[in-house]
Amino acid sequence: GPFYNQMIGEARGALTTIGTRFPNLAGRPVELVGFGWHQGWNDRINEAFVNEYQRNMDHFIRDVRRDLGTPNMPFVIAETGMGGLVEKNKRALQLMDAQAAVAEEGEFKGNVAFVGTRAFWRAPEESPSDQSYHWNSNGETYYLIVHSMGTAMVELLKRGGK
């Protein structure tokens, strides 16, 4: 769809203009070595979307790798853990299970990682807002998610996941 095409176009554009954006890298070879994905709120609101999430994520990973010319590029999927450890919504729990399952599939073992995020949830009382779908705008939460994703990516790269 249009947002997928925009994402791929922006990634390609960033790679081709890296020397302009970061002059210290001008003329140096650049390689895309990893992809992080943290999404899912909109999928959890519809049972049909949840039911297709794992299959769609499989296709998404293959498509991104193909379209960016990186057939074995490591992926890290961060759980859409909004609601935290006390989440009870059936669709939300099913979606999170689907996200975790992708990394366990045969073709993705060793080059796709899943990181749990539910423990990073902070209540509205501890946060700048009560927008649960944006993690209540809690900076600590965002830091913990990104740190976990980065740690998982480093592990994938150490194991030769690219």
Side-chain angles (χ1 to χ4, degrees):
F3 294 119
Y4 177 84
N5 292 333
Q6 179 181 353
M7 177 190 72
I8 295 298
E10 288 182 13
R12 287 177 179 158
L15 291 169
T16 60
T17 60
I18 198 97
T20 304
R21 295 173 188 221
F22 302 96
N24 290 343
L25 297 176
R28 297 176 71 184
V30 177
E31 181 183 6
L32 185 59
V33 298
F35 193 99
W37 185 253
H38 181 227
Q39 175 279 344
W41 179 270
N42 288 331
D43 290 300
R44 72 186 238 165
I45 63 171
N46 181 305
E47 188 169 355
F49 294 170
V50 171
N51 291 338
E52 292 297 316
Y53 192 90
Q54 184 175 344
R55 190 167 73 90
N56 286 338
M57 182 56 71
D58 292 349
H59 290 294
F60 178 74
I61 292 169
R62 288 185 208 105
D63 290 349
V64 168
R65 287 173 169 172
R66 179 198 65 223
D67 293 342
L68 293 177
T70 54
N72 299 308
M73 178 176 56
F75 262 70
V76 174
I77 301 168
E79 178 178 49
T80 182
M82 295 152 291
L85 298 170
V86 298
E87 178 65 70
K88 302 258 189 284
N89 180 291
K90 178 185 167 202
R91 287 187 314 271
L93 296 171
Q94 185 181 345
L95 181 90
M96 290 184 265
D97 288 345
Q99 290 175 319
V102 172
E104 297 302 317
E105 293 177 26
E107 80 176 280
F108 295 138
K109 274 198 178 267
N111 62 47
V112 173
F114 168 80
V115 294
T117 64
R118 294 174 71 192
F120 306 151
W121 174 258
R122 301 296 182 259
E125 304 79 49
E126 304 172 62
S127 305
S129 78
D130 64 354
Q131 273 189 318
S132 60
Y133 56 90
H134 285 146
W135 293 89
N136 297 324
S137 305
N138 190 292
E140 178 188 26
T141 295
Y142 289 126
Y143 169 81
L144 292 169
I145 291 168
V146 172
H147 184 268
S148 294
M149 292 176 78
T151 300
M153 183 62 71
V154 167
E155 289 305 311
L156 288 175
L157 292 168
K158 281 182 184 176
R159 290 187 274 168
K162 65 174 210 141

